[in-house]
Amino acid sequence: MAEPPARPTLATVARIAGVSVASVSRVLNGMPASSEMESRVRNAADSVGYVPDAFARSLRAGRTDQLALAVADVGNPVYVAMMRAIETHLRSTGYRLVLHSTGSGLDDELDVLASVRNGYVDGLILQSLRITDELIDELRQLTLPVVVIGTLPDNVPIDNVRTDSKAGMRLAVEHLVAAGRRRIALLNGPADTGPGAARAQGFAEGMAEAGLDDATTATCDDFTHTAGYQAAGRLLAGNRSLDALACSNDLIAMGALRALAEAGLRTPEDVAVIGMDDTDLAPMCNPPLSSVSLGAAERATTAVRLLLERIALPKLAPRRVTVHPQLVVRASTAGQEGDS
């Protein structure tokens, strides 16, 4: 079998162009050169099909032009919105985005932190549902620029973009109460996650402020449609007197809408439903879903901006940015006197 032709090198291009290897390198790396020199080098490179070795160039430059984004579930529309926002911001920067799905497991997140030490990216944006001591220890040891989307303790010196989902759940409860609902239940995600704990606290505070009982809670196995459907089914089997469900995210709320319909209950006439995150799916539900926006795209854009600034200026003091929630009212909570 014939040997494949040797890959053309800088020396090949230099020989055809009749210039030095240094001159070829200058032109192909975008450094100043005369128009005649640039024309000769580029024509020679095109004639032999020369393709720069991006990996070798990145090693020489000390950068890869890649950033990593690690999220719990790439199928969750919240994280899709984050990814799109980051990619939009990066279009003019020359950076590419590498995506990791951790499945919300600590071991997988730690594996991501270990892998980025190999130098295949210039920085990392980590969205984490569980901010544990072990994760914080690993983040402290990481020399790579990193931004965490989630709620880090105030004494952790790492750039952090967070939202106030406790306040978001209070907004949801206040809206349901203003709409005349009094028998409100919480469909929450796993309580051992940061969002689950914060939203449970926000629900308890909102119900207490309204003088209502907050004892009715169903905990989902995760933040998915299927988990919401199953938890809502269990909840309705034991309590048909509910008139509202405050859901920990839009996917759980979508599962609840399905369970309510199968139980012969109308939304919002019998049971109002509100979600959280205000994803692209919310207005497409039947009925369209009221939700509390936590600014997914804004959090992601802020995170990538902080990361690029950290790469350019490594000695910046750690920054912490909070994106505040906003209520978005649709038909799933409307239709009763006192609507807001």
Side-chain angles (χ1 to χ4, degrees):
M1 181 179 294
E3 291 290 330
R7 179 177 176 175
T9 65
L10 285 178
T12 309
V13 177
R15 176 171 50 78
I16 294 172
V19 299
S20 68
V21 171
S23 295
V24 173
S25 179
R26 287 178 62 83
V27 170
L28 296 183
N29 281 291
M31 300 175 70
S34 69
S35 57
E36 179 187 0
M37 176 71 72
E38 184 169 354
S39 177
R40 289 169 63 181
V41 168
R42 295 198 180 279
N43 287 338
D46 290 343
S47 71
V48 296
Y50 174 76
V51 178
D53 187 332
F55 180 69
R57 186 173 65 227
S58 72
L59 290 178
R60 290 193 299 271
R63 55 181 285 176
T64 66
D65 294 329
Q66 295 190 146
L67 302 178
L69 170 66
V71 298
D73 176 10
V74 293
N76 189 314
V78 172
Y79 304 136
V80 173
M82 287 184 174
M83 178 184 66
R84 287 175 177 164
I86 291 170
E87 288 186 327
T88 297
H89 190 85
L90 291 179
R91 279 176 192 155
S92 62
T93 69
Y95 277 100
R96 297 175 297 273
L97 187 64
V98 178
L99 187 63
H100 294 278
S101 184
T102 64
S104 75
L106 176 60
D107 288 344
D108 289 328
E109 290 181 348
L110 295 177
D111 285 345
V112 168
L113 296 183
S115 69
V116 296
R117 292 193 180 96
N118 294 331
Y120 69 92
V121 293
D122 298 327
L124 169 68
I125 298 172
L126 173 66
Q127 178 280 328
S128 180
L129 294 177
R130 294 175 174 87
I131 305 293
T132 65
D133 291 341
E134 187 175 1
L135 181 66
I136 290 172
D137 288 342
E138 291 296 320
L139 286 169
R140 288 180 183 274
Q141 296 175 39
L142 198 65
T143 57
L144 186 84
V146 60
V147 177
V148 172
I149 299 178
T151 303
L152 287 174
D154 290 339
N155 63 346
V156 178
I158 294 171
D159 293 328
N160 183 209
V161 181
R162 56 178 68 182
T163 187
D164 191 346
S165 58
K166 180 175 74 171
M169 185 56 75
R170 285 203 308 269
L171 279 178
V173 173
E174 289 168 4
H175 169 62
L176 293 172
V177 171
R181 310 293 171 157
R182 294 295 180 269
R183 300 179 302 280
I184 305 169
L186 171 66
L187 274 183
N188 199 14
D192 66 337
T193 63
R199 292 166 202 187
Q201 185 176 354
F203 180 76
E205 291 179 2
M207 294 291 280
E209 289 169 4
L212 300 175
D213 179 15
D214 69 341
T216 308
T217 297
T219 301
C220 305
D221 294 335
D222 53 34
F223 291 93
T224 63
H225 166 275
T226 299
Y229 169 73
Q230 293 171 343
R234 294 191 301 269
L235 186 64
L236 293 171
N239 191 340
R240 299 277 296 195
S241 66
L242 297 171
D243 64 8
L245 294 175
C247 302
S248 195
N249 76 351
D250 286 355
L251 292 179
I252 290 174
M254 290 171 60
L257 288 173
R258 177 185 164 199
L260 288 167
E262 290 182 2
L265 295 169
R266 301 166 300 165
T267 301
E269 292 84 356
D270 298 320
V271 182
V273 178
I274 188 167
M276 187 167 291
D277 287 327
D278 192 37
T279 63
D280 290 344
L281 297 177
M284 294 187 282
C285 291
N286 184 24
L289 179 67
S290 293
S291 188
V292 176
S293 172
L294 299 178
E298 183 181 352
R299 281 183 284 155
T301 300
T302 302
V304 71
R305 176 178 57 80
L306 293 181
L307 185 60
L308 293 174
E309 291 173 358
R310 173 66 57 196
I311 291 170
L313 300 168
K315 295 187 178 182
L316 282 173
R319 281 81 48 85
R320 180 163 288 112
V321 180
T322 298
V323 175
H324 297 285
Q326 293 185 338
L327 177 67
V328 181
V329 178
R330 299 189 179 94
S332 70
T333 59
Q336 188 162 320
E337 185 178 353
D339 286 353
S340 61

